[in-house]
Amino acid sequence: AQTVTQSQPEMSVQEAETVTLSCTYDTSESDYYLFWYKQPPSRQMILVIRQEAYKQQNATENRFSVNFQKAAKSFSLKISDSQLGDAAMYFCAYEGTSGSRLTFGEGTQLTVNP
Amino acid sequence: DSGVTQTPKHLITATGQRVTLRCSPRSGDLSVYWYQQSLDQGLQFLIQYYNGEERAKGNILERFSAQQFPDLHSELNLSSLELGDSALYFCASSVALRSRNYGYTFGSGTRLTVV
């Protein structure tokens, strides 16, 4: 079974600075997708960024980018120019070949200090 | 508003009772997924329906059941409730059976408290 591990329960960053959230996963599949979701206090799960495993190029969405290391099974999220609105719980998630479920990590609570 | 509607937003009930959680997917989406978010288990996949049929099952207890109706809304039924069933229950929808190419849209969840 696939597992997703986020080793940082909490992280903090100063406003306008850069922070990196870590995620590792375990799978025997070669074809899969990886996601970062954000859950603010409103509880809404919001997709931040998505990476397809067969793509070498790291995904980027505005201030959010990933460092995808397939061989190391690592998928970290970098948030540049952090804003107060970035404060939230961040979940790393995996979806495999079946395409019918997400496996989530434990989450990292990000605090942004003004 | 994500387009996925979950009702009720909050529910408080006693142990041993039965409740029904409702989800209306985003317009045009055929797949509905249910997830449970609890403090001790994290976010876990429960079950998926696609166009009215059950397509995948996760860590769903036998006391729980779900269905998707012809109008594509889905209901998650939780019975013989225990304190440990207290959690946030999410519904997500997607346009396709294999949703990873298209992404998921999550509702804002139903907070269930069992007392």
Side-chain angles (χ1 to χ4, degrees), chain B residues 33-92:
Chain B
Y33 306 77
W34 287 97
Y35 287 85
Q36 179 195 57
Q37 185 178 22
S38 62
L39 285 176
D40 55 344
Q41 297 288 329
L43 264 161
Q44 291 204 71
F45 167 74
L46 295 178
I47 198 163
Q48 178 204 8
Y49 280 83
Y50 176 77
N51 204 20
E53 293 187 7
E54 181 186 306
R55 296 309 298 257
K57 221 167 186 176
N59 299 321
I60 187 166
L61 300 172
E62 286 191 11
R63 301 182 285 107
F64 296 2
S65 65
Q67 59 185 129
Q68 187 179 27
F69 294 85
D71 67 351
L72 301 177
H73 91 271
S74 178
E75 292 181 357
L76 179 66
N77 300 296
L78 315 177
S79 61
S80 302
L81 285 167
E82 302 174 358
L83 296 178
D85 297 328
S86 295
L88 186 56
Y89 290 85
F90 280 108
C91 169

Side-chain angles (χ1 to χ4, degrees), chain B residues 86-100:
Chain B
S86 295
L88 186 56
Y89 290 85
F90 280 108
C91 169
S93 73
S94 183
V95 66
L97 173 60
R98 297 183 73 203
S99 302
R100 59 189 192 164

Side-chain angles (χ1 to χ4, degrees), chain A residues 31-33 35 37 39 42-45 47 50 52 91 95-105, chain B residues 2 9-10 33 35 37 43 45 48 56-57 88 90 97-104 106-109 111:
Chain A
D31 182 23
Y32 51 87
Y33 279 52
F35 304 83
Y37 279 90
Q39 187 179 38
S42 67
R43 310 180 314 192
Q44 184 79 46
M45 293 290 286
L47 177 65
R50 176 175 65 189
E52 300 163 54
F91 290 96
E95 183 172 1
T97 305
S98 69
S100 61
R101 69 186 69 188
L102 290 168
T103 300
F104 287 90
Chain B
S2 68
K9 292 194 183 304
H10 302 275
Y33 306 77
Y35 287 85
Q37 185 178 22
L43 264 161
F45 167 74
Q48 178 204 8
K57 221 167 186 176
L88 186 56
F90 280 108
L97 173 60
R98 297 183 73 203
S99 302
R100 59 189 192 164
N101 292 327
Y102 306 93
Y104 301 82
F106 280 82
S108 57
R111 168 72 70 187

Side-chain angles (χ1 to χ4, degrees), chain A residues 11-13 15 19 21 37-44 46 63-64 79 81-90 108-114:
Chain A
M11 290 284 285
S12 63
V13 63
E15 197 174 2
V19 64
L21 308 184
Y37 279 90
K38 168 184 176 181
Q39 187 179 38
S42 67
R43 310 180 314 192
Q44 184 79 46
I46 301 166
R63 298 182 294 107
F64 299 87
I79 306 174
D81 186 25
S82 297
Q83 300 175 1
L84 295 177
D86 295 333
M89 180 73 86
Y90 285 81
T108 297
Q109 182 67 51
L110 177 66
T111 301
V112 181
N113 300 309

